Amino acid sequence: MTSADNTPEFDRFGPWIDEVRTVDDLPRLYRDAGIDPLRCRMVLKVPRDIERRNANPTMHLYDYLIALDEEYLTVLARRDDTFDTVLVPLDHIAAITDSVRLLSGRMTVHTVDGPIVTVAYNAAANPHVRELMYLLRRSYLPARNLTAAEPHHADPRLDRADIGLLTDYHRMIADEPGMRLVNVAGRQVVNPLPNPDGVRDKAWPTILHASITVADDREIQIIHRRNWFTGNRDDLSLARTVLSRPRITDIQVSPHERYEGVHVLVIKAGAAHLEFPLGAGPLVEATLAGDSVSI
């Protein structure tokens, strides 16, 4: 293939997320969508999950175009040679989850109306997604510096296998020292509940993975794994869920329907229901006692 066969879009194509600053940088699939990068706080183009050697200039090379302005998050998602459009008012965002497992990245936006928007991306581009999350949070956080509070020195302890969760916790506390530590739940082996005949399922050991919960008067943040339950093996994923406290309408705890000694923390924000499995600990105990204010 000669250079004459190429296009600027193909020449720049790679596995990374690029920030779009001008109309000329928009992927051609999305050129007529009415997105003006100069009027947006951030515009990102997310490439297809293909190797460059399998790409060619005739392809539409970007799976998503994400645009954030003063009022809306707009997500354009490729569907063959066209695309779907999702428009999320910023004041409808209930929670944001970002997770990475090796090179698999996934950002999910939960809304008070119920619809969920998920964008898959190459985790090597996670800094762009974290910056987008920060800007989304700024749309509902009070106008004050996130680092203006007094330093916080809580030092949670987890197993060596969960050093990644601790690293993310310390990074977050360094950026947002006003957050207070609410709950630390270590990983544990869990047993299935008996079936109606009183017999337990014979299964491989199941691990309920660790999590760290922090909060302030504006948000609840939970650091966890992408999958809460796995077999008896290490999980190299890392996830963080951020919930807007003003959008929360209810917090409940109920026994897990499958595992002994496990409760499910359910946080509701309108039609959005987010569930977090937890073993025994202060967060479960306080919520069971009706003290959700302490979260």
Side-chain angles (χ1 to χ4, degrees), residues 105-123:
R106 186 186 302 160
M107 184 189 75
T108 301
V109 177
H110 303 262
T111 66
V112 296
D113 306 313
I116 297 172
V117 182
T118 298
V119 173
Y121 66 93
N122 187 308

Side-chain angles (χ1 to χ4, degrees), residues 60-258:
H60 293 301
L61 297 174
Y62 290 88
D63 275 343
Y64 302 96
L65 187 75
I66 306 170
L68 175 64
D69 60 26
E70 297 300 324
E71 297 184 66
Y72 295 96
L73 172 68
T74 302
V75 178
L76 309 181
R78 184 181 65 85
R79 184 187 293 274
D80 296 325
D81 291 330
T82 184
F83 58 86
D84 296 327
T85 302
V86 179
L87 199 64
V88 179
L90 298 185
D91 60 3
H92 287 201
I93 294 176
I96 310 165
T97 298
D98 178 47
S99 70
V100 297
R101 178 188 290 127
L102 300 179
L103 290 179
S104 169
R106 186 186 302 160
M107 184 189 75
T108 301
V109 177
H110 303 262
T111 66
V112 296
D113 306 313
I116 297 172
V117 182
T118 298
V119 173
Y121 66 93
N122 187 308
N126 185 248
H128 274 306
V129 175
R130 287 292 178 103
E131 176 64 17
L132 175 62
M133 285 184 66
Y134 173 80
L135 292 176
L136 288 172
R137 292 169 59 209
R138 293 293 294 172
S139 71
Y140 64 74
L141 290 174
R144 67 180 176 89
N145 193 322
L146 286 174
T147 61
E150 291 297 319
H152 189 89
H153 300 291
D155 190 15
R157 303 291 182 182
L158 289 173
D159 291 347
R160 184 184 298 272
D162 291 315
I163 191 67
L165 299 185
L166 290 173
T167 299
D168 197 49
Y169 165 80
H170 288 298
R171 183 185 298 119
M172 185 269 293
I173 287 296
D175 292 337
E176 306 176 37
M179 287 285 181
R180 57 184 173 83
L181 182 63
V182 172
N183 195 74
V184 181
R187 64 168 56 197
Q188 64 184 82
V189 176
V190 294
N191 296 313
L193 290 164
N195 63 28
D197 297 325
V199 179
R200 297 182 188 277
D201 294 332
K202 292 183 178 180
W204 292 104
T206 299
I207 301 295
L208 168 58
H209 285 282
S211 63
I212 303 173
T213 303
V214 299
D216 64 5
D217 60 337
R218 306 161 302 159
E219 290 181 319
I220 298 172
Q221 296 196 32
I222 301 177
I223 300 169
H224 55 97
R225 301 297 188 184
R226 177 178 287 180
N227 293 326
W228 286 87
F229 297 96
T230 68
N232 189 19
R233 58 180 173 78
D234 288 338
D235 189 321
L236 300 179
S237 68
L238 180 64
R240 190 191 299 187
T241 298
V242 180
L243 301 108
S244 171
R245 191 180 286 278
R247 310 265 162 79
I248 294 174
T249 53
D250 193 19
I251 299 177
Q252 301 175 355
V253 163
S254 60
H256 197 280
E257 63 182 14
R258 183 173 179 184

